[in-house]
Amino acid sequence: MGAAHQFVAATGVKLLPERELAIDIRGLSKTFSLPAGGNWTALQGIDLQVERGKFLSLVGPSGCGKSTMLRLISGLLSPTSGTVNVFGQSPEQFRSKNRMGFVFQDATLLPWRTVLGNVLFPMEILGVYTRKERLERAEAYLELVRLHEFRKSYPAQLSGGMRQRVSIARALADSPAILLMDEPFGALDEITRQDMQEELLRIWAETGITTIFVTHSLSEALFLSDEVAVMQARPGRITGSVVADLPRPREPSLRLKPNFVEQLMRLEAMLRDPDQQKS
């Protein structure tokens, strides 16, 4: 069974209407209490909708709440006000029967486990699938990220880009309906980063998984996404968005095309001027 078919079989997402919202955020705010007293508003008045199967990036300055948003979508944090719905359910309700994949900037692999062992680990902890099924799924997703021949290697024997590919395989192996990525390529050199962007787009095209991607790189966001949402800080809020009017599949040469450069300049203008209108 291919990765895309495994995804559909495990999540049941194919039963939802074609334009079903995967993420529906309304009036979302999050306030934290500070240790020294007082409060800090990380997010305020967020409205965001993402259709099933779409790739959306969040960009903005440090401290604008991008990572907090991912944690609210995943249910790791609860809103102070407003609502977050994932396929029509609260994150907690959704996660009780479905999976969400999370990929961080640091691959966070277990150094004493092989590549295969790292991909197997979450499924073993969750107790999902039979032993044979877990092995089949882990090997299938290592094939998907083109690392099957390294399945017996250890993380220390891999490059940074390869470790991130293991992290992506691990996040996908139990067929999540949502993939949340928090600056996964931020620590990579520029060439490896571009290679990983192309790998991610190939994987996204094969699985059809709804993806929310946090990055500081406007070029990366535009190259990957169907839409890029621009955030500002103090308090964190969405001040604009650009729907990427770019052909798929995305070729590396796209970054040099006038249309790409024009849309990149629009994103830069939105970051500099929060009063730019949403597109």
Side-chain angles (χ1 to χ4, degrees), residues 246-247 251-264:
L246 300 166
E251 300 294 335
S253 60
L254 180 66
R255 299 181 181 94
L256 303 176
K257 301 292 185 182
N259 192 29
F260 185 90
V261 175
E262 178 186 349
Q263 292 181 67
L264 187 59

Side-chain angles (χ1 to χ4, degrees), residues 7-267:
F7 167 79
V8 169
T11 63
V13 170
K14 70 183 181 65
L15 301 176
L16 296 169
E18 280 301 312
R19 296 182 64 83
E20 179 75 17
L21 288 179
I23 307 290
D24 188 9
I25 296 174
R26 309 276 177 170
L28 176 67
S29 296
K30 179 62 180 178
T31 299
F32 294 95
S33 298
L34 299 175
N39 297 316
W40 167 57
T41 300
L43 294 170
Q44 185 174 74
I46 300 288
D47 292 318
L48 180 68
Q49 288 76 46
V50 184
E51 290 181 4
R52 174 169 59 88
K54 296 295 185 179
F55 196 120
L56 178 128
S57 286
L58 298 172
V59 299
S62 296
C64 70
K66 301 184 296 295
S67 296
T68 299
M69 183 102 74
L70 293 190
R71 283 156 176 78
L72 287 161
I73 291 170
S74 69
L76 296 176
L77 292 175
S78 298
T80 302
S81 61
T83 59
V84 178
N85 284 311
V86 181
F87 289 110
Q89 305 171 67
S90 72
E92 294 78 11
Q93 290 171 328
F94 184 79
R95 286 175 61 202
S96 69
K97 296 181 180 178
N98 301 275
R99 305 281 180 242
M100 291 190 192
F102 220 129
V103 180
F104 300 93
Q105 182 172 349
D106 185 340
T108 62
L109 302 179
L110 300 175
W112 59 88
R113 278 194 165 228
T114 64
V115 164
L116 180 61
N118 269 281
V119 177
L120 285 167
F121 184 68
M123 292 185 285
E124 292 171 350
I125 292 297
L126 292 168
V128 294
Y129 312 115
T130 66
R131 187 172 181 276
K132 180 174 181 289
E133 288 170 336
R134 288 196 293 265
L135 184 60
E136 288 175 349
R137 296 177 72 82
E139 297 212 352
Y141 280 89
L142 284 173
E143 286 277 9
L144 186 68
V145 300
R146 299 176 179 173
L147 283 178
H148 191 261
E149 64 184 287
F150 294 93
R151 64 192 181 281
K152 295 182 180 179
S153 300
Y154 288 87
Q157 299 171 305
L158 306 179
S159 68
M162 292 168 76
R163 287 194 294 271
Q164 278 298 64
R165 279 192 275 165
V166 177
S167 184
I168 292 169
R170 181 179 60 186
L172 292 172
D174 60 351
S175 294
I178 303 285
L179 181 61
L180 305 173
M181 309 188 79
D182 195 356
E183 297 190 64
F185 308 145
L188 304 179
D189 65 82
E190 188 61 25
I191 297 300
T192 304
R193 187 170 185 152
Q194 290 188 10
D195 288 344
M196 287 301 301
Q197 291 167 12
E198 293 161 29
E199 281 291 294
L200 177 58
L201 284 182
R202 180 184 60 81
I203 293 164
W204 173 77
E206 289 194 32
T207 61
I209 187 171
T210 307
T211 303
I212 313 294
F213 188 95
V214 164
T215 179
H216 282 290
S217 169
L218 301 185
S219 177
E220 178 172 76
L222 187 59
F223 183 74
L224 292 172
S225 306
D226 295 305
E227 183 176 2
V228 181
V230 178
M231 298 184 67
Q232 296 289 343
R234 297 185 298 274
R237 63 206 186 279
I238 294 176
T239 56
S241 68
V242 168
V243 175
D245 182 20
L246 300 166
R248 289 196 187 273
R250 304 267 164 93
E251 300 294 335
S253 60
L254 180 66
R255 299 181 181 94
L256 303 176
K257 301 292 185 182
N259 192 29
F260 185 90
V261 175
E262 178 186 349
Q263 292 181 67
L264 187 59
M265 291 175 65
R266 287 178 60 202
L267 282 172

